[in-house]
Amino acid sequence: SVAQKKVEKCGTMQLLETEFRKDPSLRARMAQRETEFEKAVLETIKKKENAREQATPIVIPVVFHIVLTNPSVITDAQIQAQMDTINRDYAGINGDSIKIPAYFQSLFGKSQINFCLAQRTPDDEPTTGIVRVTTNASSFTVDNSVKHIQTGGDDAWDPSKYLNVWVCNLSGGYLGFGTFPGTGATADQGVVIHYGSLPGGALNGYNGGKTLTHEIGHYFNLYHVWGDDNGACTGTDFVNDTPNQADATAGCPTGVKTDACSPSAPGIMYQNYMDYSDDACLVMFTNGQVARMETALNSLRTSLASSNGCQPVLLKNNDAAMKAVTQPDNRLCDPNFTPTVTIYNRGTTTLTSLNILAQLDNGSVQTTTWTGSLASLATASVTLNGMTTASGNHVLTVYTSDPNGVTDENLTNDTLRYNLMYFPPINPPVSESFEGTKFPPEGWDIVNPDGYYTWQKVTGIAKTGNSSVYIDNFDYNINDQKDYLRLPEVNIANVDSAFISFQVAAATYTSISTSGNSWDTLQVLISTDCGKTYTSVYKRWGSNLVTRQAPTTSAFVPSASEWRKDSIDISSFISSGNILIAFRNTTEYENNIYLDDINVRTVTVNPNLKAKGFMVTPSPTTGQIAVQFYPQPNDLRGIVIYSSYGQKVAETIVKEGQANNYYSYDLSHFASGVYIVRAIFTDRVVTNKIVLTK
C-alpha cells in the first residue's frame, strides 16, 4: 500500500486556485494576512503553555445538507457517527490515537473545538441539524454548485453562525473540499464531502469519517502537511511541528517512512489528519495545528463561537405563525387576485382554528377563518378572500390571530409583508435608456431568485446618454444563476408587425476560442401568461454575444465602439395580445453584460394598402410619391413610370430576392399632368395613375 500512486482526494486547493483566477489580488491578501496570523498563533501557543487548566470547549453548530438523488440512503445514525468522529478527533480522545508512534506522541494536539448538530435554524425553528434535499444532479464537482438550490444543491444556513457541511456524490475521485477563511463568497463557506466517506459508507479505505476531519481542518486554516509543492520540499503548511514532506501519502504505511524532504527518522507524519493516508491511518493533529485552528476560530471565524445554533428552541403551547405568501407572484397582470398563504403551527398544541387577516396598503382588513387539525410543527396552505388593487406598487400584509380561540403566545412570527406591483398593459412604442432617477423604471421589475448579483443601473457607461444597465458576471461566482430584467406588459394586438431592439455590450474572461467552456448567456424571453412560462426569441453567448473579441481579465467596461444594436421580430406574438418581455442573464462567472436603449415598436399598415396590395401616394402630388407593396413582393421585377404621352420618366429594376415594400420617387422636375405607375411582377403587371400639379 505504501507504493500506491498518489490520487487527488481533496479539492480544496483546486477551489482556491479558482478563487485566485477570479480575484488576482486574493493571493497577495492571503500572504499578508498569514504574516499577522502567525503572530497570533504564537500568542495562542503562549497562552496554552501558561494556562493552569484547560479552557472551556467552544461548541460549533453543524448543519448537514444531504444532497442526493435519494437522500434517504444516508441515515441519521451515520450522521451521528460522523459527529462522534470529528468530536473525538478534534478533542484528541480518539481511541485510534494509540497508533501514534512514540516519537510523535509529544506532538499530539488536543483542541478545545467541539461540534454539535444544530438544534435551531437561522429563523429560530427547531431542527435536527440534518437537511435532506433530492437533486436531479447525479454528481457534483469541485465548485460551489452543491451549495445553491438553483444549481441542484441546497443553500447554506447563515455561515456566520453554522458550519455548513454538504454531503453529496462527488465526481473525479474527490473525497471532499473546504473553504479557507476569507476566500470566496460568504454563501459558499463550509465543507463538501463525498457521501461514501461517512462512517459505514461505500468508499473502502475512506469510510471512517476522517474526510470531514480533514476538510474542517482547511475550514480552520490548515494546509496539507506536504505544502502542495509537488515534491519540491519548498512548500509549507505554516506549522512548525509537522515534518517537511515531499508529497501526499497513499494507503496506510507502517513504521518510519522517510522521503526526500525528511530523509531520516522519524520521517514524515503520515498519521496526520491533513495527509491523504487511508482513514485507518489518520489519527492526529499536532499541537501546532491545534493552535492554528483555535487562532482561526478566535480571529477569522469569531462569530461561530457566539452562535445559538446549539441551543434548543422552547416552544409555546399556542403559537401560530405566518410562514409564506405563495400566491400571487409579485407581479400582477390583473388587478383582481386571490392570495394563498402557508400557516405554521409552531406551538405544542394541535391547531384547530385560526383567523387570518389581510390588508392591502392601508385599506380595509379582510378576515378569513380557518378550521382544521394541524399538528405541532406542521404547515397548511390556506386560500384567502379575493382582493382588488389599483395601478402601482403595493404592500400586502397578512397576519394570524386567535389560534384555537386564545391569545397567541408569540407575536413575533404572526405577520408577513409581501410586495406586489400592478401596472395595466401599455401600448408601444416603449423606449427606455435608463436616464431617469428611478430604477427599475416604473412598470419594470427584476427577478433575482438567489438574492445575489443581479441587474443594476450604472452611470458613466452608456451607448447614449449617461446611464445603462448591466449585470456583474465578473464577480458573480455562482454558476448557472438566472436573473430577469422585465419590461412593463405590452399590448401588441391589432398591429401588422412588432420589433424589439436594444444596444448590448459584452466580453468574456476566457478566450472565446476555448472549446467546451460554459459561457454567460443573454436571452430575450416573451411570456403570454404573466411570467409563468416563457418562449425564447433571442439567445446568444460566447463569440455570438461579445462585442470585445479579446479575453478581458478585469471587469469589462465598454468603449463607445464596443456596443452593438440587435433587433428581434416578434410579430408572431401579435395574436397573443398582451406580452411580458424579459431579458435573462445566465451567469457562468465570465464578464459583464450591458444593455441600453431598449425599444419596443410596432408597425401598422394602411388599411387601403392591405386591401389592394399596391398603392401610389399621394395623388395629386407636387412631386414626391411613394410606391408601396403589401406584403413584401418577392416576385417584383421592376417599377416603371410613364407620362400620359408614353414617355418613360423613371425606372427601377429589381433583382430576384432584393425587392422592398417601399420605393420613393421625385417627379417635381416633370410637367404637370397624369402619370402611370406600372409594377412589373414575374406573372403580371399592375398599374396606378397619379396626378402631378405645380
Side-chain angles (χ1 to χ4, degrees):
S1 63
V2 176
Q4 287 183 13
K5 183 180 178 181
K6 173 197 168 186
V7 177
E8 282 296 343
K9 300 181 180 71
C10 170
T12 298
M13 301 309 292
Q14 177 181 323
L15 185 67
L16 183 60
E17 286 298 325
T18 301
E19 298 298 338
F20 287 155
R21 180 178 73 88
K22 284 298 183 180
D23 184 359
S25 67
L26 176 61
R27 193 188 301 270
R29 295 201 310 272
M30 288 185 69
Q32 182 178 5
R33 187 188 71 186
E34 181 61 36
T35 301
E36 297 301 318
F37 184 77
E38 288 182 34
K39 295 178 182 178
V41 172
L42 292 176
E43 291 299 317
T44 299
I45 293 173
K46 289 180 181 178
K47 290 178 182 179
K48 291 177 75 71
E49 290 174 347
N50 296 331
R52 295 185 178 179
E53 58 184 33
Q54 288 190 336
T56 303
I58 298 175
V59 184
I60 308 300
V62 182
V63 54
F64 284 84
H65 307 263
I66 302 172
V67 184
L68 293 166
T69 54
N70 180 14
S72 63
V73 299
I74 303 302
T75 66
D76 289 0
Q78 279 183 285
I79 298 300
Q80 187 57 60
Q82 179 66 84
M83 288 294 297
D84 293 341
T85 298
I86 59 175
N87 272 318
R88 287 192 297 263
D89 291 348
Y90 275 77
I93 57 174
N94 49 309
D96 52 10
S97 62
I98 60 173
K99 298 179 182 179
I100 300 174
Y103 44 82
F104 286 147
Q105 285 180 2
S106 64
L107 304 178
F108 184 27
K110 299 183 178 184
S111 169
Q112 298 304 312
I113 301 175
N114 285 358
F115 306 91
C116 80
L117 278 173
Q119 296 195 56
R120 67 171 65 214
T121 71
D123 297 326
D124 291 326
E125 299 295 341
T127 182
T128 62
I130 303 171
V131 180
R132 287 182 169 82
V133 175
T134 301
T135 182
N136 292 324
S138 59
S139 65
F140 294 90
T141 188
V142 180
D143 59 22
N144 295 311
S145 56
V146 73
K147 303 173 183 178
H148 301 277
I149 290 174
Q150 287 78 14
T151 49
D154 193 39
D155 292 342
W157 290 11
D158 184 351
S160 69
K161 296 182 178 180
Y162 299 86
L163 167 54
N164 287 272
V165 177
W166 288 270
V167 180
C168 65
N169 184 21
L170 275 175
S171 61
Y174 287 97
L175 299 180
F177 57 93
T179 55
F180 286 101
T183 63
T186 299
D188 296 334
Q189 294 300 299
V191 169
V192 178
I193 61 171
H194 194 294
Y195 77 100
S197 73
L198 292 168
L203 296 178
N204 292 331
Y206 310 109
N207 56 359
K210 300 301 179 77
T211 293
L212 185 56
T213 303
H214 176 105
E215 301 304 343
I216 293 175
H218 288 309
Y219 178 80
F220 285 122
N221 216 28
L222 290 188
Y223 289 80
H224 293 135
V225 288
W226 66 94
D228 294 283
D229 61 358
N230 294 316
C233 299
T234 57
T236 180
D237 64 350
F238 304 101
V239 178
N240 292 330
D241 58 2
T242 55
N244 196 1
Q245 185 168 321
D247 215 332
T249 305
C252 191
T254 58
V256 174
K257 184 175 188 298
T258 61
D259 66 11
C261 302
S262 289
S264 59
I268 65 170
M269 189 182 286
Y270 56 82
Q271 303 89 349
N272 196 284
Y273 292 126
M274 300 312 293
D275 203 345
Y276 276 0
S277 305
D278 289 357
D279 280 13
C281 205
L282 298 177
V283 295
M284 69 178 292
F285 287 119
T286 67
N287 291 317
Q289 287 174 317
V290 166
R292 187 174 175 88
M293 289 191 291
E294 291 180 352
T295 303
L297 175 59
N298 293 327
S299 62
L300 302 178
R301 298 200 184 275
T302 314
S303 59
L304 290 173
S306 58
S307 172
N308 64 351
C310 292
Q311 300 172 12
V313 176
L314 299 178
L315 300 178
K316 305 290 186 180
N317 291 329
N318 293 285
D319 181 8
M322 182 58 62
K323 195 75 170 177
V325 177
T326 56
Q327 289 292 335
D329 291 336
N330 296 100
R331 161 142 354 184
L332 296 171
C333 294
D334 189 307
N336 301 307
F337 65 97
T338 303
T340 301
V341 300
T342 301
I343 59 173
Y344 173 47
N345 182 12
R346 199 174 182 273
T348 59
T349 304
T350 299
L351 186 65
T352 58
S353 65
L354 183 68
N355 288 328
I356 305 171
L357 299 92
Q359 183 182 33
L360 191 61
D361 300 326
N362 295 318
S364 60
V365 176
Q366 298 190 25
T367 301
T368 301
T369 299
W370 171 88
T371 58
S373 180
L374 191 60
S376 177
L377 303 182
T379 61
S381 179
V382 182
T383 300
L384 307 185
N385 298 323
M387 306 181 79
T388 301
T389 185
S391 177
N393 294 296
H394 306 278
V395 176
L396 174 65
T397 303
V398 289
Y399 53 100
T400 61
S401 178
D402 307 315
N404 293 330
V406 300
T407 301
D408 198 310
E409 296 176 55
N410 179 14
L411 302 180
T412 62
N413 55 23
D414 290 354
T415 304
L416 281 181
R417 290 175 176 83
Y418 187 73
N419 293 322
L420 293 171
M421 63 176 289
Y422 169 69
F423 291 90
I426 61 176
N427 295 319
V430 176
S431 180
E432 184 56 62
S433 297
F434 307 103
E435 299 300 318
T437 57
K438 184 178 181 181
F439 184 79
E442 185 170 282
W444 295 59
D445 73 335
I446 291 171
V447 180
N448 178 20
D450 66 348
Y452 201 28
Y453 288 95
T454 194
W455 294 102
Q456 58 185 306
K457 178 179 175 178
V458 60
T459 57
I461 305 172
K463 175 60 177 178
T464 61
N466 190 50
S467 300
S468 63
V469 295
Y470 88 113
I471 189 159
D472 185 4
N473 289 325
F474 182 79
D475 293 308
Y476 204 165
N477 59 358
I478 308 174
N479 291 342
D480 302 316
Q481 301 305 297
K482 294 175 172 58
D483 290 82
Y484 300 73
L485 174 65
R486 304 196 299 185
L487 282 67
E489 197 177 21
V490 181
N491 181 5
I492 60 170
N494 303 316
V495 299
D496 294 295
S497 55
F499 303 89
I500 307 169
S501 65
F502 55 93
Q503 295 283 347
V504 61
T508 58
Y509 185 99
T510 310
S511 172
I512 57 175
S513 62
T514 304
S515 62
N517 191 55
S518 296
W519 304 103
D520 300 332
T521 301
L522 179 67
Q523 286 182 268
V524 179
L525 310 173
I526 293 183
S527 175
T528 59
D529 55 9
C530 199
K532 293 181 177 62
T533 60
Y534 290 95
T535 299
S536 178
V537 295
Y538 170 103
K539 185 176 183 179
R540 291 194 178 191
W541 65 90
S543 60
N544 292 322
L545 175 63
V546 296
T547 57
R548 177 185 291 179
Q549 297 295 311
T552 304
T553 55
S554 58
F556 170 57
V557 176
S559 66
S561 62
E562 291 179 315
W563 291 84
R564 180 184 68 242
K565 183 178 181 179
D566 285 350
S567 184
I568 311 162
D569 185 343
I570 57 170
S571 300
S572 60
F573 290 88
I574 290 171
S575 60
S576 301
N578 298 333
I579 62 171
L580 180 60
I581 302 168
F583 288 84
R584 184 171 77 183
N585 173 83
T586 303
T587 182
E588 296 294 344
Y589 202 13
E590 282 291 328
N591 219 315
N592 303 337
I593 297 176
Y594 295 81
L595 297 174
D596 202 3
D597 300 338
I598 297 173
N599 291 282
V600 181
R601 63 181 179 88
T602 57
V603 176
T604 302
V605 178
N606 185 303
N608 291 328
L609 175 59
K610 291 177 68 174
K612 297 178 180 179
F614 170 55
M615 281 181 57
V616 182
T617 57
S619 183
T621 178
T622 58
Q624 297 290 335
I625 65 170
V627 180
Q628 300 177 72
F629 301 90
Y630 181 85
Q632 184 158 312
N634 294 326
D635 54 351
L636 180 67
R637 293 295 173 264
I639 300 170
V640 184
I641 303 176
Y642 296 93
S643 71
S644 59
Y645 301 104
Q647 178 188 6
K648 183 191 297 184
V649 298
E651 182 179 26
T652 299
I653 304 300
V654 180
K655 294 182 179 180
E656 184 176 356
Q658 297 184 4
N660 295 317
N661 57 11
Y662 183 93
Y663 297 86
S664 62
Y665 298 91
D666 183 3
L667 305 181
S668 59
H669 53 286
F670 294 107
S672 300
V674 176
Y675 289 79
I676 299 168
V677 180
R678 302 180 68 196
I680 304 168
F681 297 86
T682 54
D683 59 351
R684 67 194 187 282
V685 176
V686 181
T687 63
N688 203 327
K689 293 181 180 180
I690 60 166
V691 177
L692 175 63
T693 61
K694 295 291 186 176

